[in-house]
Amino acid sequence: MKITSDQINDLNNKHASRLNEEYDQLANRLVSRNIDLNDLDDKLSTFQIAIPSWALGTGGTRFGRFSGGGEPGSLEEKINDIGLLHKLNNSSGFISLHIPWDIPENYDHINQLAADLHLKFDSVNSNTFQDQPDSIHSYKFGSLDHHDNDTRQLAVDHNKEVIDHGERLGAKSLTVWLADGASFPGQKNFRKAFQNLSLSLQEIYNHLPEDWKLLIEYKPYEPNFYSMTIPDWGTSHLLAQQLGKKAYSLVDLGHHLPNTNIEQIVAILMHQNKLGGFHFNDSKYGDDDLTVGSLKPYQLFLIFNELVEGITNTDNITPAWMIDASHNLKDPLEDLIQSVEAILIAYCRALIIDQNALAYAQQNNDVAGCQEILQDAFMTDVRPLIAKNRLNNHASVNPLEAYRNLNVRETLIKERGSKQISSGL
Amino acid sequence: MKITSDQINDLNNKHASRLNEEYDQLANRLVSRNIDLNDLDDKLSTFQIAIPSWALGTGGTRFGRFSGGGEPGSLEEKINDIGLLHKLNNSSGFISLHIPWDIPENYDHINQLAADLHLKFDSVNSNTFQDQPDSIHSYKFGSLDHHDNDTRQLAVDHNKEVIDHGERLGAKSLTVWLADGASFPGQKNFRKAFQNLSLSLQEIYNHLPEDWKLLIEYKPYEPNFYSMTIPDWGTSHLLAQQLGKKAYSLVDLGHHLPNTNIEQIVAILMHQNKLGGFHFNDSKYGDDDLTVGSLKPYQLFLIFNELVEGITNTDNITPAWMIDASHNLKDPLEDLIQSVEAILIAYCRALIIDQNALAYAQQNNDVAGCQEILQDAFMTDVRPLIAKNRLNNHASVNPLEAYRNLNVRETLIKERGSKQISSGL
Amino acid sequence: MKITSDQINDLNNKHASRLNEEYDQLANRLVSRNIDLNDLDDKLSTFQIAIPSWALGTGGTRFGRFSGGGEPGSLEEKINDIGLLHKLNNSSGFISLHIPWDIPENYDHINQLAADLHLKFDSVNSNTFQDQPDSIHSYKFGSLDHHDNDTRQLAVDHNKEVIDHGERLGAKSLTVWLADGASFPGQKNFRKAFQNLSLSLQEIYNHLPEDWKLLIEYKPYEPNFYSMTIPDWGTSHLLAQQLGKKAYSLVDLGHHLPNTNIEQIVAILMHQNKLGGFHFNDSKYGDDDLTVGSLKPYQLFLIFNELVEGITNTDNITPAWMIDASHNLKDPLEDLIQSVEAILIAYCRALIIDQNALAYAQQNNDVAGCQEILQDAFMTDVRPLIAKNRLNNHASVNPLEAYRNLNVRETLIKERGSKQISSGL
Amino acid sequence: MKITSDQINDLNNKHASRLNEEYDQLANRLVSRNIDLNDLDDKLSTFQIAIPSWALGTGGTRFGRFSGGGEPGSLEEKINDIGLLHKLNNSSGFISLHIPWDIPENYDHINQLAADLHLKFDSVNSNTFQDQPDSIHSYKFGSLDHHDNDTRQLAVDHNKEVIDHGERLGAKSLTVWLADGASFPGQKNFRKAFQNLSLSLQEIYNHLPEDWKLLIEYKPYEPNFYSMTIPDWGTSHLLAQQLGKKAYSLVDLGHHLPNTNIEQIVAILMHQNKLGGFHFNDSKYGDDDLTVGSLKPYQLFLIFNELVEGITNTDNITPAWMIDASHNLKDPLEDLIQSVEAILIAYCRALIIDQNALAYAQQNNDVAGCQEILQDAFMTDVRPLIAKNRLNNHASVNPLEAYRNLNVRETLIKERGSKQISSGL
């Protein structure tokens, strides 16, 4: 299935006049507060977030999975789905592949397909948390941190291969998320596991092309329930420091203990020029992997405040952004549309914070004033800015509405059937 | 100090034209979505939230207290402060007294003072979590749940007296918050403590005037750190059921374990017609007692959604609303201004939820649609509605700005000095 | 595979002399503290815990599953595994079946098999958290709480059938665990969901035989990640109250928010004579389903203190005990052996608490003393009491050692192969 | 008050025969498992834990304080109390002073007093979380992280003075715990606060004598409730790395988010040779500051397992141990007696873990076996080992019983009165 610009234009036309009115009203207010709307517009236009290939299928929990229909069964179909998304919102221009789920059979073909849809390949992801069918070693008790050298080497070699696949697709970073850890006290020696992991990462790091980055993800629990070998940003950062300049930490919103101040972690990592990636989702209890912004939109805004602050005021690279959610109940494409929208709204609100006033209030210990400044930006209804930006870029003013009006899911079900199950979790 | 209507009008006049413009733009949009603006306006005008007498002074933690200046030293001064607040925002028309901190010396005088400031007395609060100077029994190991009958009776009698004080001020409910519990396993027999508490509450309940309510607060921990005798809504509800029709549960936002779904508790208690009171504050870690809406504005909105839903669709009484925060860093009056504002915003947003569309989406398992409907209301910048409502009611369009422009704190410091410390925590 | 008494005796004989010595030393000490060893011994001998049929296979997480070998493929094989366990430890004399995973083809045959192994059927469990292959309605958006009457009826009828199956096996209770809830704000109307659930339970309750119990489990999150329709003991208790005398709450150790005081919930439910069942496991983060006692043995002891206290001093029935864990890394039978052992140790320690001294210390606010009394019991190494009890009952002194020495797993793999996967999660 | 060796001997004599019997029985078992009892005994004899000077008075919460009697009012009385404790248990040979609460008037006198009681001065603690009476700058909005240079300098200078005081008492390390942080989003710029803090610490570090250590404590929340400037071990470690060889992290058991795996933090910090100090207490909800071992004795054991492992296998210095609890309900000296006892028990149990067997089981992925090995040590009732060690060292076999029999508290109340309140929190 393809969505044409004409289809989008037709749908947009119905909204244009009201949108223009709302945009003008908002623009007037923002201009009077010295917001540079052109700069804002440029930033919105160039903001692109990666979609992981496995997020196009229905997710599940350990208690089962309720599949939807029309799921993509091949890498080509996954890329096509992201193309549909990007056509609608102009902000999903990156694909993040998971190996071995997404090994291309023909690189040229895949590269061409992506290019046709204006998509690029973002960070590639390795998988050492599941055994592959014919593997002679098992990751049941660890992979990169394993005490058994052969198992460890298998995991190291897999990561090297992922880099090689990525190179042929133009990717520039490898994301390592590890399930390694222990579910019971005593099961592992923490220090030995850390040391083994450190050695493994060094070997992978040495295989990185000069212009690549290694992104080290952390997570406090699940699937191991007593300890994870990279449980927190402190451990991730320690490893990244030891490895060298090309190694960075990656923050996943859902990978924190209850009540963690994630925005502070973002700020400190950027202060150290060591924030390499960011995975978006939302959660109430754990790694719930819900739609971005569906539970804690203010936290998301505070995080974007730090991201914007860090990008502006530090030498930190712009992190690799990715949505990392599990779509158990919603249509995966609808979920992704809502997630991208929530990210854009948080980003846009962060961009209109009056940073000078904030710095002044901070300097004067005007705590109530600081709150007013942040919340003024947060309460501003920036949706017209984003919609107008999309209108200008020939994307859909209201992507979710367009998705439904264009019967995308129904068409995909017709094309692919209702039983096909996407590879992945 | 008094604030005059003229002073407020002068300040409002500067905002009027821009406010009217913004209001009209928003009103147009809401009317096109079938929102009844008159009804909304009525609801905003009549919404009143209680201010506890002790919230006018600087709060502290166990690590110390950094006092501000101009704190009220007498009940009269406390009432006066709430009068200032109410004059500015027209939404703080209730006072909630804490006995023995606020025992009036002259009831007629106090009643007249309150009436002059358009204030009424809301729920009265007992205090059995501190020993009074000459007490012969101590609450160190419990009060209403104590195994010692004399100590228990002291606490019961105190609560009866609080009712008597409240009656003379026109209050209609008693709020019981207990620190009772244990800090170590084995310290108390859970069942006996529950039974003693149950007997004590029965005696207090029997003393209640016919038209009064007993509001039973719960809290999982602090100041006891192993167990609290009323730790959760289930226990509070159980006690309220046993006592009878006049007994209700009271929900304090900060009194929950990490990640609790508080809005669901609100819904179920209202479904049982047993939600009697609500204490507002905000928190990230525990009973942090921060400014309402400063950390989790979306949660606050979801709670108001349930409150509105319950008030509309159940026989539950309208709960007694109160702000229950501790102002450690901000000027207490500024903190209260921000808190009331956050509550009004959440309430107003909840009122513009398209309930019909939501019910329809729920009926169709349109999960993404449900989210869109809630978030559309949440993202709407309703501040012009609230400001316009205040303009119409001769209160301040922007209370915090007015508070600062009128040099309220500076004047209070001049009047009262910078060292006076308000009674309370 | 069968384990003979001779095999066990041979293994026990090696331990007998040292065990007798250790037992005598301990017995002397306990007798000097007025512990009634005969009574203790009787209680240990009669204590039986149910094993759920699905716990015999390797568990998994949503990130995958690493199967072991020799898993039982049929109900007969599952019963046989529990028989092996019971033969070893004499404390696993109950089976808890899950329908539809364990529908017997021939009841007489199954009843006879169980009787031969000295096993009885405990509570039967329904499953409405997964769709059955040919179902025309889906539980994706709810089951007993569903707004759609047909889906709700399907779930109700399923529960009735489970009761019918249970009756033919001599079971006396139905356990209802619901996945019903919502993963996003607004997805469900809390009050309507509660009301629908209430109606469904009433219908199931009405189908209960006179001497049956309905056990209502609660859980705060997972698989739904915003709200669960029965999130906490308060909701479960409310439903049980409304249904009537045969309805009870069931507490699962892993189904609580962080830091919940579970022993207090146990105490209060027993005080209300409403604790009907208890599911054992252990966890650090959420519903981790780890081996009982592997993470928080002191909490387990404190819970048993309340269970013993409640059984002794209230009219509460003895709850239906069950192990409810997921064996992701350990051999399931080894995990169960360790779990039963941990439960017996906690139970035995609770039985030797000096309750008179504790009551006296409580009465005197001797907080340090209360702690000493509890911890004295907890620190006592009661393993010789339990081992000796098993020796007397012709079970294994050291079940885990025996399991390994008798090569149980190796034999099962030989019999069943290494690829067979047990039904269930 | 003084306790004489004769008094202790008299009390010990009543226990000696039973203790010797129990010791012999246990010793036999341990020797048969190749435990080196002489080595164990040496380790127990030399283990000394610091008592903070402020822990001798009754603690409180923000909801009030229920004082006991006989509290020490001067530094001399505090030292005397620790002397009593050390006389009883032979394991409390260190004092940790808090400046400015404990500034000696006469160093020689204080040094002599401590020496007479066989006490040494451990780490000294600064206090920048409260304003001193005549201070011209306030720590209300920060101290070492303050944006105001003068306030920052005040805090820096205070820390330098604390070092100077410590030097004159023979202390060898400075512990810095900071309340610095923010209670509201936006209140502080995270990166600037970190940078200011970093500069301040550098200046303090430069003032350290050659043989001193700087111990950097972390805490996620309280008294600030949105962010703390050193919230976690990662930040503490980052700062310690930047400062240099003499800077270390300090772990306080209560300063972690819910469910944190603290033992893993200990292991990794020791692996980096950067664990400088450890503060003991226990908690269920937050920084509850309860008696060590009263809530989570197994966690304490697991932490000691890592401490022992790290001391044995890394170059990490032996951390400065201190009890850091608040005695709200118990007699402070009884609370400390119980805390020291719990620490010794955890330490002793950790020392009898069969490390060879554990390493072997880990190597073989024998997860159930690893658990058995740890729990076998944990379940062993090691109290006779500790009591016997004390008997040999002329300390009390049962310190709590001796404390009560010798009427220590009653005597102190007679000497000091019941109203004196110890300085500190």
Side-chain angles (χ1 to χ4, degrees), chain D residues 209-227:
Chain D
E210 213 35 58
D211 58 345
W212 272 54
K213 290 186 277 288
L214 177 63
L215 311 182
I216 304 170
E217 201 163 344
Y218 59 90
K219 188 175 184 182
Y221 64 95
E222 198 207 24
N224 274 296
F225 292 116
Y226 168 62
S227 73

Side-chain angles (χ1 to χ4, degrees), chain A residues 185-186, chain D residues 30 33-36 39-40 43 298 300-309 312 345-362 369-380 382 385:
Chain D
L30 294 176
R33 281 160 49 195
N34 294 318
I35 305 291
D36 180 344
D39 179 62
L40 184 69
K43 281 178 173 146
Y298 193 52
L300 185 67
F301 163 77
L302 294 174
I303 288 168
F304 260 102
N305 180 29
E306 296 306 326
L307 290 167
V308 167
E309 209 270 352
T312 313
I345 288 170
Y347 181 43
C348 188
R349 283 168 163 171
L351 290 171
I352 63 169
I353 294 170
D354 188 337
Q355 294 291 349
N356 291 333
L358 182 59
Y360 183 82
Q362 287 169 345
C370 294
Q371 179 176 315
E372 290 292 304
I373 291 160
L374 283 191
Q375 295 219 342
D376 181 44
F378 180 69
M379 291 207 203
T380 302
V382 297
L385 294 181

Side-chain angles (χ1 to χ4, degrees), chain A residues 341-361:
Chain A
E341 195 73 8
I343 290 168
L344 287 169
I345 287 170
Y347 181 44
C348 188
R349 283 168 163 172
L351 289 171
I352 64 168
I353 294 171
D354 188 337
Q355 294 291 349
N356 292 332
L358 182 60
Y360 182 82

Side-chain angles (χ1 to χ4, degrees), chain D residues 99-261:
Chain D
I99 308 298
W101 299 334
D102 299 315
I103 298 178
E105 291 176 19
N106 180 328
Y107 287 94
D108 291 343
H109 173 63
I110 292 296
N111 276 322
Q112 188 57 50
L113 176 62
D116 290 348
L117 298 166
H118 309 288
L119 304 176
K120 289 182 185 159
F121 290 95
D122 202 58
S123 196
V124 282
N125 303 270
S126 57
N127 173 344
T128 62
F129 54 89
Q130 291 177 321
D131 287 342
Q132 297 314 314
D134 301 317
S135 177
I136 50 167
H137 302 292
S138 170
Y139 298 139
K140 182 169 188 169
F141 300 106
S143 63
L144 294 181
D145 83 339
H146 209 292
H147 54 77
D148 177 64
N149 283 333
D150 293 342
T151 312
R152 224 160 56 66
Q153 195 60 49
L154 183 75
V156 167
D157 290 343
H158 166 68
N159 275 278
K160 289 182 182 173
E161 284 163 30
V162 174
I163 294 171
D164 298 342
H165 287 298
E167 266 207 289
R168 300 180 66 178
L169 296 163
K172 293 292 176 203
S173 62
L174 169 70
T175 295
V176 174
W177 173 67
L178 285 185
D180 294 6
S183 277
F184 296 96
Q187 180 187 334
K188 276 190 184 167
N189 181 296
F190 292 125
R191 297 193 307 99
K192 286 184 196 160
F194 180 83
Q195 207 157 17
N196 287 327
L197 169 61
S198 190
L199 292 171
S200 301
L201 287 175
Q202 187 65 57
E203 209 177 320
I204 296 165
Y205 187 85
N206 293 342
H207 190 75
L208 275 186
E210 213 35 58
D211 58 345
W212 272 54
K213 290 186 277 288
L214 177 63
L215 311 182
I216 304 170
E217 201 163 344
Y218 59 90
K219 188 175 184 182
Y221 64 95
E222 198 207 24
N224 274 296
F225 292 116
Y226 168 62
S227 73
M228 297 283 276
T229 304
I230 315 180
D232 52 21
W233 79 268
T235 310
S236 164
H237 181 55
L238 190 53
L239 290 163
Q241 281 179 315
Q242 291 175 350
L243 288 171
K245 276 201 158 188
K246 296 186 286 182
Y248 293 84
S249 291
L250 183 148
V251 175
D252 180 298
L253 256 172
H255 293 188
H256 297 86
L257 291 174
N259 306 337
T260 304
N261 188 321

Side-chain angles (χ1 to χ4, degrees), chain A residues 18 21-22 25-26 28-29 32-33 258-263 284-286 291-299 302 329-330 334-335 338 342 345 349 365-369 371-372 375-383 398 400 404, chain B residues 18 21-22 25-26 28-29 32-33 258-263 284-286 291-299 302 329-330 334-335 338 342 345 349 365-369 371-372 375-383 398 400 404:
Chain A
R18 202 180 102 181
E21 184 191 315
E22 289 184 17
Q25 292 167 359
L26 177 58
N28 282 339
R29 262 168 250 161
S32 77
R33 282 162 47 195
N259 306 337
T260 304
N261 188 321
I262 301 169
E263 51 270 32
K284 186 170 174 61
Y285 301 100
T291 318
V292 183
S294 61
L295 268 296
K296 300 175 185 163
Y298 193 52
Q299 184 197 52
L302 294 174
L329 296 180
K330 294 177 184 170
E334 293 201 356
D335 205 331
Q338 290 188 312
I345 287 170
R349 283 168 163 172
N365 300 318
D366 179 7
V367 183
Q371 179 176 317
E372 289 293 303
Q375 296 218 342
D376 181 44
F378 180 69
M379 291 207 203
T380 302
D381 189 347
V382 297
R383 289 175 294 178
N398 186 332
L400 184 62
R404 291 185 171 193
Chain B
R18 201 179 104 182
E21 185 191 317
E22 288 183 20
Q25 291 167 1
L26 178 57
N28 283 339
R29 261 169 250 159
S32 77
R33 281 159 49 195
N259 306 338
T260 303
N261 188 322
I262 301 169
E263 51 268 33
K284 186 170 173 63
Y285 302 101
T291 318
V292 183
S294 61
L295 267 297
K296 299 176 185 162
Y298 193 51
Q299 183 196 52
L302 294 174
L329 296 179
K330 295 178 184 170
E334 293 201 357
D335 205 331
Q338 289 187 313
I345 287 170
R349 283 167 164 171
N365 301 317
D366 178 6
V367 183
Q371 178 175 316
E372 289 292 305
Q375 296 219 341
D376 181 44
F378 180 69
M379 291 207 204
T380 302
D381 188 349
V382 297
R383 289 175 294 178
N398 186 333
L400 184 63
R404 292 185 170 193

Side-chain angles (χ1 to χ4, degrees), chain C residues 128-171:
Chain C
T128 62
F129 53 90
Q130 292 178 319
D131 287 342
Q132 298 314 314
D134 302 317
S135 177
I136 49 167
H137 302 293
S138 170
Y139 298 138
K140 182 170 190 170
F141 300 105
S143 64
L144 294 181
D145 82 340
H146 209 292
H147 54 77
D148 177 66
N149 284 331
D150 293 342
T151 311
R152 223 161 55 67
Q153 196 60 49
L154 183 75
V156 167
D157 290 344
H158 166 68
N159 275 278
K160 290 182 182 175
E161 284 164 29
V162 175
I163 295 171
D164 298 342
H165 287 297
E167 267 207 289
R168 300 180 66 178
L169 295 164

